[in-house]
Amino acid sequence: MRILVFANTPAHVHLYRHAVDRLEAAGHDVLVLTREYACTTDLLDFFGMPYRVYGTHGTDSYSKLRFARELGGQFVTIAREAVRFDPDVIFGRGPYAAYAGTLTRAPVVLVLDDEPGDFNHTVSRPFAETILSPAVTRRDLGEDHYTFEGFKECAYLHPDVFSRDENVREFLGVDPDEPYVIARFNALDALHDTDIEGFSPHQRRDLLERLSEHATVFVSDEGGEMDLRDLPARPYDLHPALIHDAMAEASLLVADTGTMATEAALLGTPAFRYRGTDSHEYGEFQELERAGLAEQFDEYVDVRKRSLEILADDDASARWQRRRQEYIDDMMNLTELLVAVAEARGSIDRLSPATRQTVQPVRRETARPEQ
C-alpha cells in the first residue's frame, strides 16, 4: 500500500511519526508532504521520515495576502507530488488533504481536534472517507465522524510509546534537583489564530522576571523575536525533538499556546494556559481541567499568581504525576488506531472487530454541530 500523510506543523509530525515507522516496517510505502514552518522539517529529518516540501509558511509578519499569493503554487506542487505517488489512502486535515484526495481519488482520513478551524473543517469534510477526533471535543462532523477515547497527543505521549530521555537535564545544563520552568510563547500566525492575542511584550518580561525568582526559566518562543539578553531566562535551544523530554522533567509549563499545554498535562507536568483574547472553549482543555492536569486563565495576573504558588508547592510535581497515572491509563494508544485505519484504506468498516470497538460514531444528542 501507499500512504500519503500531510504534516504541516511540528504537532502533525509527532502525531504520525510512530504510525509512519510502523507502516514502513510492515512494508508499506509512505510519503509525507510538508511545508517549511517553524521546526517541522527539522523534526522530519530527526525522525528519518520520508518527506517532500510543497511550500513555506512563515512565523514573522506573515500576512493573509502573502499566504493567498503562495497558495496557488502550493496546490500545484501538491497535485504533482500526490499524482506521482498515487496513494491508496491519505491522512491529514483541511483543504490540502481534501484536494489531494480529489485528484487521486484516494480515500481521505481527517484527524482533527477542537481548534476553532471551521473553514478547514467545512472545506474538507465532504471529501473525507473517515473523520477521527477525541471524544472530548464533542463535535458533529457528519455520518463519517468517529471518536476515540484520548487525545491526538496520545499517538506519541501514551506510556506505550513515550519514555523520557534521562539525559535531558544534562543537555539543558540543570542539576538533578534543580527546578525549572518552560515558558512557551505562541507566534499566533496560524489561520485559526486570527485576531487572537496572547501574552503582551510587557507581560512576557514580567512573567519571566517573577518566575526566575523561584526556578530556572527556559523560553520557547515560536516567533523567535524575543531578546533575552537582559532577562533572567535562557532560550530553549535543544533540538525540538527533545521538547517532550524537557517538559516531562519541568516543574511547570506556562504558555499562551494550546498544543504544548496539552502535552505537558499528559506528561504529568503542571500546565497553565493563558487564554488572552481566545474565547473558544476547547473540549481537550475542559477535560484536562476536570482531571486536575491543566488550568486556564483569562487574566494575566491570575496565571502569574498561580504559577508562583505551584513553584512554592513542594508536593506539586508528585501530585500531578499521580493524577496523570490515574488518568492516562484509560487512554488509547492512538498510533495503533492510525495504523489499523491506514491498512483498512481509511474504512472503519474494514477494521477488525477488536479495533472497531475502540471508535464510536458521534452521539448526535450530545455533540456540538458545526455551523
Side-chain angles (χ1 to χ4, degrees):
M1 286 181 59
R2 292 178 298 279
I3 299 99
L4 180 63
V5 175
F6 281 86
N8 295 326
T9 71
H12 298 165
V13 176
H14 289 298
L15 170 63
Y16 292 112
R17 64 185 176 92
H18 291 294
V20 168
D21 285 347
R22 290 269 306 275
L23 291 165
E24 287 191 310
H28 303 298
D29 292 328
V30 183
L31 174 64
V32 178
L33 285 184
T34 189
R35 61 188 179 186
E36 295 284 357
Y37 172 70
C39 61
T40 303
T41 54
D42 291 335
L43 290 173
L44 290 165
D45 287 329
F46 185 92
F47 295 120
M49 297 169 68
Y51 73 91
R52 296 192 185 117
V53 176
Y54 68 79
T56 300
H57 183 80
T59 59
D60 53 339
S61 302
Y62 199 82
S63 68
K64 292 181 182 179
L65 178 60
R66 180 181 166 194
F67 175 72
R69 287 172 178 169
E70 294 179 355
L71 195 58
Q74 293 183 8
F75 275 113
V76 169
T77 304
I78 289 171
R80 181 179 67 247
E81 297 293 348
V83 170
R84 178 187 298 167
F85 187 64
D86 190 23
D88 295 298
V89 64
I90 297 171
F91 283 79
R93 60 192 299 152
Y96 300 117
Y99 176 62
T102 300
L103 286 177
T104 61
R105 301 193 178 189
V108 175
V109 179
L110 305 178
V111 185
L112 307 176
D113 54 12
D114 213 8
E115 72 168 30
D118 294 335
F119 170 76
N120 283 334
H121 302 331
T122 299
V123 300
S124 58
R125 68 178 178 179
F127 303 93
E129 171 82 13
T130 298
I131 301 172
L132 299 173
S133 74
V136 296
T137 62
R138 296 182 61 208
R139 284 187 180 275
D140 180 0
L141 296 171
E143 295 297 326
D144 299 315
H145 183 192
Y146 295 83
T147 64
F148 56 88
E149 290 300 324
F151 298 76
K152 289 196 299 77
E153 292 78 9
C154 289
Y156 53 97
L157 295 181
H158 191 278
D160 288 349
V161 294
F162 177 79
S163 59
R164 74 183 69 184
D165 189 325
E166 299 297 334
N167 297 312
V168 71
R169 283 184 169 270
E170 179 182 348
F171 298 155
L172 287 169
V174 295
D175 294 334
D177 298 323
E178 182 177 350
Y180 69 85
V181 176
I182 297 177
R184 171 64 168 181
F185 299 130
N186 202 339
L188 296 172
D189 61 337
L191 183 63
H192 58 264
D193 292 327
T194 302
D195 299 325
I196 292 177
E197 296 179 1
F199 289 111
S200 70
H202 171 74
Q203 290 168 344
R204 291 184 180 194
R205 295 181 64 88
D206 180 64
L207 180 67
L208 298 180
E209 289 172 351
R210 297 296 297 275
L211 293 175
S212 69
E213 297 172 2
H214 302 272
T216 299
V217 181
F218 292 95
V219 176
S220 174
D221 177 26
E222 187 178 27
E225 299 175 347
M226 283 201 71
D227 185 353
L228 300 177
R229 286 177 295 183
D230 63 340
L231 286 170
R234 309 181 199 174
Y236 173 82
D237 56 5
L238 300 187
H239 193 283
L242 297 175
I243 188 61
H244 302 117
D245 305 281
M247 282 196 287
E249 282 286 317
S251 299
L252 170 69
L253 178 122
V254 58
D256 56 7
T257 180
T259 297
M260 281 183 60
T262 301
E263 291 169 338
L266 291 174
L267 289 167
T269 297
F272 296 166
R273 175 178 176 260
Y274 174 50
R275 296 184 207 239
T277 59
D278 186 0
S279 60
H280 182 76
E281 292 292 339
Y282 298 86
E284 292 95 334
F285 282 116
Q286 291 176 330
E287 175 66 9
L288 290 169
E289 284 186 299
R290 184 196 64 77
L293 293 169
E295 299 178 24
Q296 296 188 93
F297 303 87
D298 294 323
E299 300 295 333
Y300 166 67
V301 292
D302 293 333
V303 68
R304 184 185 65 186
K305 177 182 178 183
R306 184 70 176 120
S307 297
L308 298 177
E309 288 176 352
I310 283 293
L311 292 177
D313 183 348
D314 293 335
D315 187 49
S317 292
R319 191 164 65 250
W320 250 261
Q321 283 297 323
R322 288 194 298 270
R323 293 172 184 170
R324 183 246 187 188
Q325 190 64 45
E326 294 170 357
Y327 183 74
I328 205 167
D329 280 349
D330 294 329
M331 301 289 98
M332 72 171 300
N333 176 0
L334 182 56
T335 289
E336 300 282 352
L337 177 60
L338 295 177
V339 170
V341 172
E343 293 183 329
R345 298 176 187 265
S347 173
I348 296 297
D349 293 337
R350 294 196 188 107
L351 295 176
S352 69
T355 304
R356 179 66 179 79
Q357 291 179 359
T358 66
V359 295
Q360 299 295 327
V362 172
R363 295 174 57 193
R364 300 276 177 308
E365 66 273 16
T366 61
R368 170 165 44 86
E370 290 293 298
Q371 300 300 318

